[in-house]
Amino acid sequence: MSVKIIEVKESVFKNNNERADILRKRLKDEKTFLLNLMSSPGSGKTTTLLRTCELLKDKFKIGIMEADIDGSVDAETMKAAGVKSIQIHTGGMCHLDADMTAQGIDELGTSDVDLAVLENVGNLVCPAEFDTGAVKNACILSICEGHDKPLKYPLIFETCDAMIINKMDVMPYFNFDMDQVKEYAYKRNPNIKIFPISAINGEGVEAWTDWLTQQVNDWIN
């Protein structure tokens, strides 16, 4: 007697991918660009977003969705800086999927948002597994984390269109090999764009925002 096997994980991902495509089409119709920003906790996502908004606030209407298991610190930080923001609680989940992202978009609204950014839950594993419906994916790797992360956590680098290497200001104090991290990242994804920056002092941020500006304009125009 044969046993029926149900591939639950495959079914879940297929369903999510379909919903992600629906969300992307909606965003295209509403002329809103969604960036999914992923990284480990403490890599500097919020500080990088503050710098990004500072440089792009005169070009685009920006809205931020801050996703965390609990708390509202990041959303309050963005709001205090004058950036439209909402907080998403995941109820203990370590990632957002397309449905959760769509709920966030509903609350954020798109009528006055050209560029929406999802600051995903701090995690190098789970967020990379789920298509959120974003137009582009980006990750942040901080100098403090080490240059070997593309070897240890391949999926996030394979799924991202851009990698920001943050905290360049502390590079002299860490054994971080820039050539090696680029080699490892390109091994995982030959097309990934790499932007070394310091979100604290602004070093390299303009190159990142120039790339993002082009992506947004290509989508909404």
Side-chain angles (χ1 to χ4, degrees), residues 141 147 150 163 165 176-185:
L141 175 67
H147 56 259
M163 175 175 73
I165 302 175
F176 188 93
D177 191 318
M178 184 64 69
D179 291 333
Q180 282 276 268
V181 76
K182 288 181 177 180
E183 178 185 332
Y184 295 154

Side-chain angles (χ1 to χ4, degrees), residues 31-160:
K31 297 185 180 300
T32 298
F33 179 99
L34 174 60
L35 174 72
N36 177 28
L37 185 62
M38 301 175 281
S39 78
S40 298
S43 65
K45 286 194 299 298
T46 304
T47 307
T48 298
L49 278 179
L50 287 170
R51 280 284 181 180
T52 299
C53 292
E54 183 182 322
L55 290 178
L56 296 184
K57 64 183 179 181
D58 295 329
K59 295 181 179 180
F60 305 116
K61 293 171 287 185
I62 303 172
I64 308 294
M65 298 183 290
E66 298 285 356
D68 288 294
I69 292 174
D70 204 348
S72 59
V73 175
D74 292 341
E76 290 170 4
T77 299
M78 299 304 299
K79 186 176 181 180
V83 182
K84 181 179 182 180
S85 61
I86 63 168
Q87 186 74 49
I88 300 174
H89 285 168
T90 65
M93 298 180 70
C94 59
H95 67 275
L96 266 72
D97 60 18
D99 277 344
M100 296 164 72
T101 304
Q103 290 179 52
I105 288 290
D106 288 340
E107 291 299 320
L108 183 69
T110 59
S111 61
D112 60 346
V113 174
D114 303 313
L115 167 60
V117 182
L118 169 62
E119 183 179 334
N120 216 315
V121 181
N123 188 330
L124 287 180
V125 182
C126 304
E129 294 185 331
F130 288 84
D131 187 343
T132 60
V135 183
K136 296 291 181 181
N137 296 313
C139 63
I140 300 178
L141 175 67
S142 72
I143 294 295
C144 316
E145 295 173 79
H147 56 259
D148 59 353
K149 293 302 173 288
L151 297 180
K152 294 183 175 182
Y153 304 96
L155 184 60
I156 194 168
F157 298 95
E158 291 168 1
T159 59
C160 281

